[in-house]
């Protein structure tokens, strides 16, 4: 029998420590929407998304109400559009039309983001892939809710350096295309290496070709809950610290598993995975940086930060893995700068640089995320950063990603406001030495030796 | 059997339990267990109830209990039991 203390603990986690289910993401395959006629393609896509997702938002609200746990976002991910649009889209302009259809479907179903305006080009690019990639700046400036991602490498295939070079330019163009809006378009564009097929978190979410027709994925989050639990074991040794994170992650993930099962049952759509990530928000008390500082660091970025993050990530996975029957996606701790008040403070006090963030990405769950950089940063430098990050993912068999925002018209020392969950960020210094000759070589970096496991 | 946990937290006053129980009785909700403590000077009650006999839609009950709480100056939450059993029992 449940007792009053357990009930109070759960409700305290929700009310004071900001435990939430961050997202219910409905993955939808659009492969059966393909058509050689652009209008027919758009119609098929719109009809399928609105048919399957029509009850998504209301069901999310129902579950939220009945269990008393906030479900912050309801979202949709679709098959990478480069695969779906191949027959109908002859030019980047055609792809922009598809993006507008996706945006309309997202608006009409009431979801706040729709991911999957994507191309998977880890080994090579088809002309269709390239057309989609070239359409990204226009697509992201013409739409409000569409998120885009490009997978440019993997442990099995190596890194497609042609795509890396192109993406440096595309990130810049997207920044230019949305400069009236603090280059916000770049916040909806992520460049990945080893992208998982079942990630429910934006901007990198898409519905991979290995997935079923429709599937419910859930992302849970509770940095505040972990931070609070650690406050109770100040000064204790690492064994106690790890055990505390693990136990708390278990409880947090169980809540996510319950919501995932309920959503799946009520919508009649199979349950896919729970992604047990600690995703921060800009509000105070919902920060991954604060967890690391609670472990004993004066500021994130201080020596010891990478070790603390590695420990946190591993214990979150260990605790979560037993709590859910299927764990997937990115699972771990996110370290976006603009979305985490503790990270923003660390940058502002000079404790955290892009180089330290890069080191941290070796052990975090994603990568260089939501980092504002000077608007005059050359495309080749952005490509260089993408290549570095992809190499970390490729060699270490993990997902890595880059979501940089070159804020047009702003320089180091200034700050940029994105609003809502995307937060605000100080513009950070980027290494000013040039890597253009390296990036301009083009071609492909071969897969690493440990990719040959057959 | 659809078990629900109702929690009532707030400044102590005369008649809180009576008012909550009257609402539940009016809506054919059966009370199975009540435990109550005073935590940090606050009235803190948990009820385990069975809603399967009630004609009222669940969402309606959550909202009405919330409004009842506002009227008598306490916070009343109504949540399905699963969220607690899933989190605290393996």
């Amino acid at each position: 029998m449940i007792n009053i203390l357990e009930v109070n603990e759960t409700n305290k986690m929700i009310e004071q420590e900001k435990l939430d289910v961050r997202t219910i993401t409905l993955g939808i395959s659009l492969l059966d929407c393909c058509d050689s006629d652009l209008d027919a393609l758009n119609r098929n896509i719109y009809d399928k998304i609105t048919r399957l997702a029509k009850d998504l938002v209301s069901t999310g609200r129902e579950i939220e109400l009945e269990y008393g746990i906030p479900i912050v976002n309801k979202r949709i991910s679709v098959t990478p559009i480069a695969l779906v649009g191949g027959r109908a889209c002859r030019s980047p302009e055609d792809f922009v039309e598809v993006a507008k259809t996706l945006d309309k479907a997202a608006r009409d179903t009431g979801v706040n983001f729709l991911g999957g305006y994507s191309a998977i080009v880890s080994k090579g690019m088809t002309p269709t892939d390239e057309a989609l990639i070239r359409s990204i700046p226009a697509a992201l400036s013409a739409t409000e809710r569409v998120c885009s991602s490009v997978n440019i490498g993997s442990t099995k295939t190596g890194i497609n350096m042609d795509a890396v070079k192109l993406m440096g330019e595309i990130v810049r163009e997207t920044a230019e295309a949305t400069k009236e809006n603090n280059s916000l378009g770049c916040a909806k564009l992520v460049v990945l290496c080893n992208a998982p097929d079942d990630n429910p978190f934006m901007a990198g979410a898409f519905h991979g070709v290995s997935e079923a027709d429709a599937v419910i994925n859930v992302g849970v989050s509770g940095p505040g809950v972990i931070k609070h639990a650690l406050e109770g074991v100040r000064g204790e040794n690492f064994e106690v610290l790890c055990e505390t994170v693990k136990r708390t992650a278990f409880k947090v993930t169980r809540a996510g598993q319950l919501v995932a099962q309920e959503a799946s049952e009520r919508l009649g759509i199979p349950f896919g995975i729970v992604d047990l990530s600690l995703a921060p928000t800009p509000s105070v008390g919902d920060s991954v940086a604060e967890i690391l500082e609670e472990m004993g660091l004066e500021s994130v970025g201080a020596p010891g930060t990478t070790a603390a993050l590695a420990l946190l990530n591993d214990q979150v996975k260990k605790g979560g893995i037993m709590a859910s029957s299927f764990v997937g996606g990115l699972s771990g701790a996110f370290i976006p700068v603009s979305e985490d008040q503790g990270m923003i403070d660390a940058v502002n006090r000079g404790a955290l640089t892009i180089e330290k963030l890069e080191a941290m990405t070796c052990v975090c769950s994603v990568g260089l995320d939501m980092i504002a950089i000077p608007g005059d940063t050359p495309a080749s430098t952005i490509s260089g950063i993408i290549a570095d990050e992809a190499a970390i993912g490729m060699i270490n068999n993990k997902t890595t990603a880059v979501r940089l925002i070159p804020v047009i018209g702003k320089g180091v020392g200034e700050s940029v406001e994105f609003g809502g969950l995307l937060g605000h960020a100080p513009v950070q210094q980027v290494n000013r030495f040039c890597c253009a000759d390296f990036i301009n070589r083009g071609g492909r970096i071969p897969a690493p030796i440990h990719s040959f496991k057959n | 059997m659809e078990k629900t946990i109702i929690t009532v937290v707030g400044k102590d006053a005369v008649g809180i339990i009576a008012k909550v129980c009257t609402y539940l009785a009016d809506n054919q909700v059966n009370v199975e267990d009540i435990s109550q403590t005073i935590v940090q000077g606050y009235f803190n009650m948990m009820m385990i109830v069975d809603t399967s006999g009630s004609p009222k839609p669940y969402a309606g009950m959550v909202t009405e209990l919330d409004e009842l709480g506002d009227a008598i100056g306490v916070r009343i939450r109504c949540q399905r039991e699963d969220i607690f059993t899933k989190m605290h029992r393996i």
Side-chain angles (χ1 to χ4, degrees):
Chain A
M1 184 82 86
I2 283 297
N3 68 50
I4 195 166
L5 295 174
E6 290 166 331
V7 170
N8 286 342
E9 185 191 335
T10 299
N11 287 342
K12 195 160 151 263
M13 281 180 175
I14 294 169
E15 279 181 359
Q16 293 168 21
E17 297 155 20
K18 301 190 167 62
L19 169 65
D20 58 40
V21 170
R22 187 54 54 84
T23 179
I24 299 183
T25 304
L26 171 61
I28 300 174
S29 168
L30 296 182
L31 288 173
D32 55 357
C33 297
C34 293
D35 199 291
S36 54
D37 177 63
L38 186 59
D39 290 336
L41 172 71
N42 279 321
R43 210 166 38 242
N44 292 348
I45 289 177
Y46 180 82
D47 289 348
K48 182 158 187 188
I49 293 175
T50 47
R51 175 169 56 84
L52 284 171
K54 67 176 193 306
D55 296 328
L56 177 65
V57 173
S58 58
T59 306
R61 287 214 187 98
E62 253 172 45
I63 297 174
E64 204 169 11
L65 191 72
E66 288 183 25
Y67 292 96
I69 183 162
I71 300 171
V72 185
N73 298 301
K74 292 91 187 171
R75 294 169 169 173
I76 294 171
S77 64
V78 297
T79 312
I81 293 298
L83 298 174
V84 181
R87 285 188 68 201
C89 299
R90 309 269 170 246
S91 65
E93 290 72 38
D94 290 347
F95 273 113
V96 175
E97 290 308 309
V98 179
K100 287 179 183 163
T101 304
L102 294 172
D103 200 41
K104 183 168 176 354
R107 223 178 15 247
D108 292 352
T109 49
V111 298
N112 60 350
F113 280 125
L114 182 149
Y117 195 73
S118 309
I120 314 288
V121 294
S122 35
K123 201 167 179 186
M125 268 188 283
T126 64
T128 320
D129 289 328
E130 196 177 331
L132 179 122
I133 292 175
R134 291 198 184 276
S135 77
I136 289 174
L140 293 184
S141 60
T143 59
E144 181 199 355
R145 305 183 188 206
V146 172
C147 290
S148 178
S149 60
V150 177
N151 190 53
I152 47 86
S154 79
T155 302
K156 278 284 180 192
T157 62
I159 301 172
N160 180 347
M161 289 301 289
D162 291 327
V164 169
K165 177 168 188 278
L166 181 57
M167 284 315 295
E169 293 157 12
I170 294 296
V171 168
R172 272 209 64 88
E173 280 175 34
T174 306
E176 287 282 356
T178 54
K179 68 177 174 199
E180 308 302 325
N181 215 350
N182 283 329
S183 303
L184 184 68
C186 295
K188 297 183 281 176
L189 170 61
V190 57
V191 186
L192 291 145
C193 176
N194 282 326
D197 279 5
D198 54 10
N199 160 31
F201 284 105
M202 298 297 167
F206 62 82
H207 186 76
V209 286
S210 59
E211 298 282 312
D213 191 49
V215 74
I216 290 283
N217 294 328
V218 162
V220 275
S221 184
V225 181
I226 305 266
K227 154 98 174 29
H228 180 84
L230 292 185
E231 284 169 10
V233 294
R234 271 184 199 156
E236 303 273 358
N237 66 22
F238 281 105
E239 205 177 314
V240 177
L241 176 71
C242 290
E243 184 65 20
T244 308
V245 177
K246 202 164 65 178
R247 278 170 185 267
T248 315
F250 175 83
K251 289 181 186 173
V252 169
T253 313
R254 292 283 280 184
Q257 166 81 8
L258 171 68
V259 168
Q261 276 171 340
E262 277 297 320
S264 154
E265 204 179 298
R266 292 179 192 199
L267 289 165
I269 293 171
F271 158 59
I273 55 108
V274 173
D275 183 317
L276 40 121
S277 283
L278 297 181
T281 68
S283 65
V284 175
D286 205 14
S287 155
V288 170
E290 283 175 16
I291 301 178
L292 302 178
E293 287 165 6
E294 180 58 42
M295 287 187 197
L297 304 172
E298 186 186 354
S299 168
V300 166
T305 301
T306 311
L309 182 61
L311 170 169
L312 174 66
N313 226 25
D314 188 51
Q315 298 307 318
V316 165
K317 287 179 186 170
K318 283 175 177 162
I321 210 113
M322 190 178 152
S324 170
S325 34
F326 295 99
V327 175
L330 300 164
S331 291
F334 288 178
I335 51 165
V337 174
S338 81
E339 298 168 2
D340 187 321
Q341 192 55 48
M343 291 289 208
I344 298 167
D345 294 343
V347 171
N348 282 335
R349 67 171 84 97
L352 188 60
T353 60
I354 289 191
E355 285 72 19
K356 183 64 176 178
L357 279 162
E358 183 186 311
M360 289 163 74
T361 64
C362 299
V363 298
C364 84
S365 69
V366 201
L368 291 173
D369 199 15
M370 290 301 286
I371 298 170
I373 58 172
D376 58 2
T377 309
S380 58
T381 299
I382 297 173
S383 293
I385 296 172
I386 294 172
D388 283 345
E389 199 52 42
I392 289 173
M394 173 181 78
I395 296 292
N396 295 302
N397 245 322
K398 74 187 289 293
T399 305
T400 49
V402 173
R403 187 160 51 148
L404 293 179
I405 302 140
V407 189
I408 304 300
K410 293 212 170 171
V412 176
E414 290 182 85
S415 172
V416 58
E417 178 71 50
F418 303 115
L421 277 179
L422 296 173
H424 61 105
V427 177
Q428 284 183 255
Q429 178 78 51
V430 175
N431 190 311
R432 62 189 171 78
F433 289 92
C434 179
C435 64
D437 289 349
F438 179 74
I439 294 301
N440 285 333
R441 281 174 184 273
R444 191 152 61 91
I445 296 178
I449 185 73
H450 56 254
S451 68
F452 296 97
K453 284 181 189 162
N454 290 316
Chain B
M1 185 97 89
E2 289 179 13
K3 283 195 183 169
T4 284
I5 309 282
I6 293 174
T7 44
V8 184
V9 182
K11 276 253 158 62
D12 203 3
V14 175
I16 296 174
I17 299 178
K19 280 172 185 143
V20 175
C21 287
T22 307
Y23 174 86
L24 296 177
D26 289 347
N27 290 289
Q28 279 88 53
V29 175
N30 189 37
V31 178
E32 295 184 346
D33 188 59
I34 299 184
S35 53
Q36 191 220 314
T37 56
I38 301 289
V39 178
Q40 291 158 357
Y42 271 78
F43 174 84
N44 200 318
M45 176 172 75
M46 177 189 93
M47 301 172 113
I48 301 177
V49 303
D50 176 11
T51 57
S52 56
S54 174
K56 176 123 340 220
Y58 203 89
M61 195 166 71
V62 174
T63 328
E64 285 179 10
L65 278 168
D66 194 36
E67 287 163 3
L68 176 66
D70 284 345
I72 56 180
V74 290
R75 171 95 168 90
I76 306 182
R77 294 173 67 113
C78 173
Q79 295 155 280
R80 289 202 191 272
E81 189 202 27
D82 304 13
I83 184 98
F84 307 106
T85 44
K86 282 273 157 55
M87 269 176 102
H88 297 281
R89 301 280 180 274
I90 296 177

